[in-house]
Amino acid sequence: MKACPLFALLVAALSLGCGGSHGPQLFPVQGKVTYEGKPLSRGTIIFNPVNEALPASRGEIQPDGTYVLSLAQAGDGAVPGEHRVIVNSSTQVKQGMEINDPDYELPRPLVPTKYSSLSTTPLSQTVKEEPNTIDIEL
């Protein structure tokens, strides 16, 4: 008889642990990044929630300046709310070039470095609970 209450308690505990929670709800975010009026041709954009307990989403900037944010899966989006936005973009190292090669050139930033740090970026955006198109002008 004592096994039945223990079994019921075990079933209840397992059902709590197997709920449908797969992380925060995400909403699609896409847009275009421009610098001085022209599409930024490469780099990364990161949306960092102001609520630091929530995860950041990132996207690769395409040659036409467009991006799509992802968190766990390609294009799944970002958590809703206020975000600080970081943009990193630099020249590409020539393929096959090693740092000890005499012609090696360090990558140089394509946008001001203030956009590449949470402590200095002036960029902020709101992700709404709907599909979002957010263009970033630097």
Side-chain angles (χ1 to χ4, degrees):
M1 287 290 181
K2 290 183 180 181
C4 286
L6 288 175
F7 179 73
L9 184 61
L10 179 62
V11 169
L14 287 175
S15 68
L16 288 175
C18 296
S21 177
H22 297 289
Q25 187 172 9
L26 304 175
F27 294 88
V29 179
Q30 65 176 2
K32 189 172 200 170
V33 183
T34 56
Y35 176 59
E36 297 180 340
K38 298 177 183 170
L40 196 59
S41 62
R42 58 179 292 109
T44 320
I45 186 166
I46 304 170
F47 276 51
N48 295 279
V50 170
N51 177 351
E52 295 177 5
L54 297 173
S57 293
R58 67 186 299 277
E60 293 297 319
I61 299 170
Q62 302 303 307
D64 64 354
T66 59
Y67 72 90
V68 175
L69 290 184
S70 302
L71 179 64
Q73 298 176 3
D76 60 1
V79 296
E82 287 295 314
H83 294 255
R84 304 280 313 275
V85 179
I86 294 174
V87 176
N88 291 300
S89 183
S90 61
T91 58
Q92 190 172 4
V93 174
K94 292 178 185 174
Q95 193 167 4
M97 186 72 66
E98 297 291 331
I99 197 163
N100 57 354
D101 289 338
D103 294 331
Y104 180 84
E105 294 179 22
L106 286 173
R108 53 182 176 66
L110 296 174
V111 298
T113 56
K114 70 180 178 181
Y115 297 115
S116 66
S117 169
L118 269 180
S119 63
T120 58
T121 184
L123 304 172
S124 64
Q125 293 291 329
T126 302
V127 173
K128 297 177 184 172
E129 294 183 1
E130 60 188 37
N132 296 261
T133 298
I134 301 175
D135 294 332
I136 306 291
E137 297 178 17
L138 309 178

